[in-house]
Structure formats: C-alpha cells, structure tokens
Amino acid sequence: MIIITYMSRNKNIFTPDDQLRELIEDNPNLLGVLSRFGLSFGFGDKTVKEVCEEDGVDLNSFLAVCNFLCGRSYAGYPISLPSLMSYLRKAHTHFLDYLLPSIRRKLIEAINQSDVNDVSFLLLKFYDDYVKEVHNHMQHENDDVFNYVSRLLAGEVSEKFRIRDYSLNHVSMTKRLSELKDIFIRHYHVKDNEILTSALFDIIDCGNELNNHCDIENKLFIPEVERLEKSLKLLALENDVIEESDSKDKELVEVITDREKEIICCVAKGMMNKEIADKLCLSIHTVTTYRRNISSKLHIHSAAGLTVFAILHSLIDINDVNLHL
C-alpha cells in the first residue's frame, strides 16, 4: 500500500467516539473519504458515530476505510458491501469527472504557454489515451462488477462470473500516469511554467489516490465479496442436500404400499405380528413377509425405527404411538 504523506501520530485505531475533526487533523487526505461516504462538513466537535448517524452512513465501513488508509488496524470494523460500493462509485466520479479533467485543463494551459507545441500535443494525446483507459476500467467496475455484487446481495448466484475473475487482473492504473510525469520532468524543456508545475503536482497526487483506491478494492472490497460468494455457495449446497434428502424421503414413502403403511402404523402402536394379522385379516406368515419387505425397502429393521419413520412422514399421530417400544 502507498504510504500517505501525512502519517498517523500514533498507531491507535480510530474509534466511533473520536471527534471527526481529529481524524482530519491527523490526516487531511481523509477529507476525500468524507465526501465519498456522503458525510457533511460543518460537524464541529461531533464524534464519528454522531456524524455518521446524522448522515445515514455505515459507521463500521467508514472507520474501516479511514483506519486502512492511515495504516491502522481495521479488522474490528466489518464492511458493509452496499456502503463500500457507494464509496467506490463516488471515488470513480471524483477521478473521471473532477480530478482527471482538471489535470487536462492545466496541461492545455501549460501547452499554450510553451514553444514546443508539436511535442506538447503528443503528450496531451498520451494523457487522453490514459484517461480513456481509466474510464473503461472504472465503467467496467460500475456496470459489471458492482452489479454482480448487488445480485449476490440479493441472493442470486451466478456460475458465469466470480470476483476472482476480476481480481486476478486488477492492478493500480498509475504506470502510464507516472510515465507521463517523468517525460515532462526529464524531457520537456521549458522555464517558468507554474501551470505545468501545478499540473505535475496534481498528477502525483492523482497517482497516490489511484493507488489507495486500488488497495481498498483489493484488500477490503474483494475479500468481502469472496466471503459473500462462499456463504452463498455453502447455502446453495445445504439447500441442495435438503432438497435431495426430502426427495429421497418422498420416494421412500411412495414405494411403500398402502397395506405396508397400515402395518407400519400397527407396529408404531406396539402391536405384535399376531395382533396385526387379526386386525388386518391376514395370516401371520403374510404379516411377516410384509415386514421383511418393509425392512428391505426402508433399511429399517427395528420397531422403534419404523415408529420414528411413521411419525416423521405423518403416517401416524405421535399421540397414537406406543412410546415404550
């Protein structure tokens, strides 16, 4: 993870009872985190918990991100995926609609002050191609990855995509931006161009923000999605087992004939073979044959087992059962 310019004064974690202004004083870069979570300014001396409650922001997710970005422990704050996805979407808006266009405007103004316009416009094209790459990357996350996670949260499991498919190729998009900065610094020979200097500072800050953004996705977002996938997969397996078991039980009941069900009920009531034969007007030999066939079908060989089977499948009311079998 990129080390933020403003280091924490101590290694104690940020907590719900800390004043929010203290977090900003500790690390001014967290101002961006506030706006992306939808927290309002003008919070005075209110605690983190109070401000989050007033603005309807998930407290644990906010503290997890703040602690993570400041190199502090964040494990004690469980992530809310809807809250974190909202944060990441707003971060995308920040990059695509504000920061990257602002850098472009400064580069154009710097080019207009230069005598090497041919090279300058090539550099501008280099930058535009880079911005297009970032746009496509973040649009893919917005349209495909986040929508996939939203479906997961609704309990919809897809076999066509896993978050691992996305994470394997997920890297920070700062290499080309760093190349552009180095070209300007090492090869773009101009003097007294304060606009260009300002643009280069913005490029450096943008690179740091993109690295931090990528780290949040890799270390907070993706692991949480993987846990959700695992829980849903296990749930689906459990449901399959239950359905399979129910299906098998139903099949067992269906293969038992009505006469065999009558005999099972008699056994559950504590009747002996002769009593069953007299009640059903059968010979003892016939009852014995029926019981042997029942045991073969159900793989149950005791009167107690047949009694439990009869109760579980509603063949007999528990009040009619001989509990002293």
Side-chain angles (χ1 to χ4, degrees), residues 171-222:
V171 294
S172 175
M173 303 189 65
T174 58
K175 184 176 180 181
R176 291 189 67 188
L177 192 63
S178 181
E179 288 177 0
L180 178 65
K181 174 202 67 179
D182 289 342
I183 289 173
F184 272 114
I185 292 175
R186 298 176 63 184
H187 305 291
Y188 192 78
H189 188 69
V190 293
K191 293 182 179 180
D192 301 326
N193 195 325
E194 292 296 331
I195 298 297
L196 179 58
T197 301
S198 178
L200 292 176
F201 271 120
D202 287 348
I203 287 174
I204 293 171
D205 287 340
C206 181
N208 289 336
E209 283 200 57
L210 283 169
N211 277 325
N212 289 329
H213 179 77
C214 182
D215 281 340
I216 288 173
E217 290 177 326
N218 285 338
K219 297 179 182 179
L220 296 184
F221 175 67
I222 291 174

Side-chain angles (χ1 to χ4, degrees), residues 52-314:
C52 285
E53 287 179 348
E54 287 181 1
D55 288 330
V57 172
D58 184 75
L59 174 65
N60 286 322
S61 299
F62 174 74
L63 283 171
V65 170
C66 289
N67 279 299
F68 176 81
L69 290 176
C70 292
R72 302 183 180 201
S73 174
Y74 57 92
Y77 297 108
I79 295 292
S80 161
L81 276 174
S83 179
L84 187 59
M85 283 196 296
S86 176
Y87 167 88
L88 294 173
R89 285 183 186 275
K90 289 180 180 178
H92 291 170
T93 299
H94 166 72
F95 288 117
L96 298 177
D97 293 351
Y98 297 99
L99 186 52
L100 291 172
S102 174
I103 293 173
R104 189 180 192 277
R105 287 192 294 270
K106 287 186 178 182
L107 289 176
I108 291 175
E109 190 173 348
I111 287 172
N112 289 336
Q113 296 181 13
S114 171
D115 294 327
V116 285
N117 286 326
D118 290 342
V119 176
S120 300
F121 282 112
L122 287 175
L123 290 171
L124 188 60
K125 184 180 185 306
F126 183 103
Y127 180 77
D128 287 342
D129 290 342
Y130 167 74
V131 171
K132 184 177 180 180
E133 181 183 337
V134 174
H135 179 274
N136 290 339
H137 174 88
M138 292 184 174
Q139 198 64 45
H140 167 62
E141 291 179 347
N142 286 343
D143 294 344
D144 300 322
V145 178
F146 294 162
N147 285 340
Y148 164 72
V149 176
S150 294
R151 291 193 296 272
L152 281 181
L153 289 167
E156 180 181 337
V157 181
S158 171
E159 296 298 333
K160 297 180 180 179
F161 181 80
R162 287 287 185 271
I163 197 65
R164 180 174 173 79
D165 301 331
Y166 158 75
S167 65
L168 288 176
N169 298 311
H170 185 251
V171 294
S172 175
M173 303 189 65
T174 58
K175 184 176 180 181
R176 291 189 67 188
L177 192 63
S178 181
E179 288 177 0
L180 178 65
K181 174 202 67 179
D182 289 342
I183 289 173
F184 272 114
I185 292 175
R186 298 176 63 184
H187 305 291
Y188 192 78
H189 188 69
V190 293
K191 293 182 179 180
D192 301 326
N193 195 325
E194 292 296 331
I195 298 297
L196 179 58
T197 301
S198 178
L200 292 176
F201 271 120
D202 287 348
I203 287 174
I204 293 171
D205 287 340
C206 181
N208 289 336
E209 283 200 57
L210 283 169
N211 277 325
N212 289 329
H213 179 77
C214 182
D215 281 340
I216 288 173
E217 290 177 326
N218 285 338
K219 297 179 182 179
L220 296 184
F221 175 67
I222 291 174
E224 195 63 33
V225 176
E226 288 175 337
R227 280 190 285 272
L228 177 60
E229 286 178 335
K230 184 177 180 181
S231 68
L232 288 175
K233 186 176 182 181
L234 290 175
L235 180 61
L237 287 174
E238 289 175 359
N239 288 337
D240 288 343
V241 169
I242 292 172
E243 289 176 4
E244 182 179 354
S245 176
D246 290 344
S247 176
K248 287 182 178 179
D249 286 347
K250 184 177 181 182
E251 289 174 3
L252 284 174
V253 175
E254 289 176 350
V255 299
I256 300 296
T257 66
D258 290 340
R259 176 64 80 182
E260 287 169 340
K261 290 177 184 177
E262 286 181 317
I263 292 175
I264 291 173
C265 290
C266 289
V267 171
K269 291 177 181 179
M271 300 172 65
M272 304 301 291
N273 283 355
K274 185 176 185 312
E275 294 175 295
I276 297 173
D278 292 341
K279 177 178 175 60
L280 300 180
C281 300
L282 301 171
S283 69
I284 294 178
H285 174 74
T286 300
V287 172
T288 302
T289 301
Y290 270 122
R291 289 195 63 171
R292 185 164 50 247
N293 291 338
I294 292 169
S295 295
S296 176
K297 290 179 180 180
L298 301 182
H299 301 286
I300 299 174
H301 303 281
S302 67
L306 289 176
T307 301
V308 172
F309 178 88
I311 295 171
L312 290 177
H313 294 283
S314 303

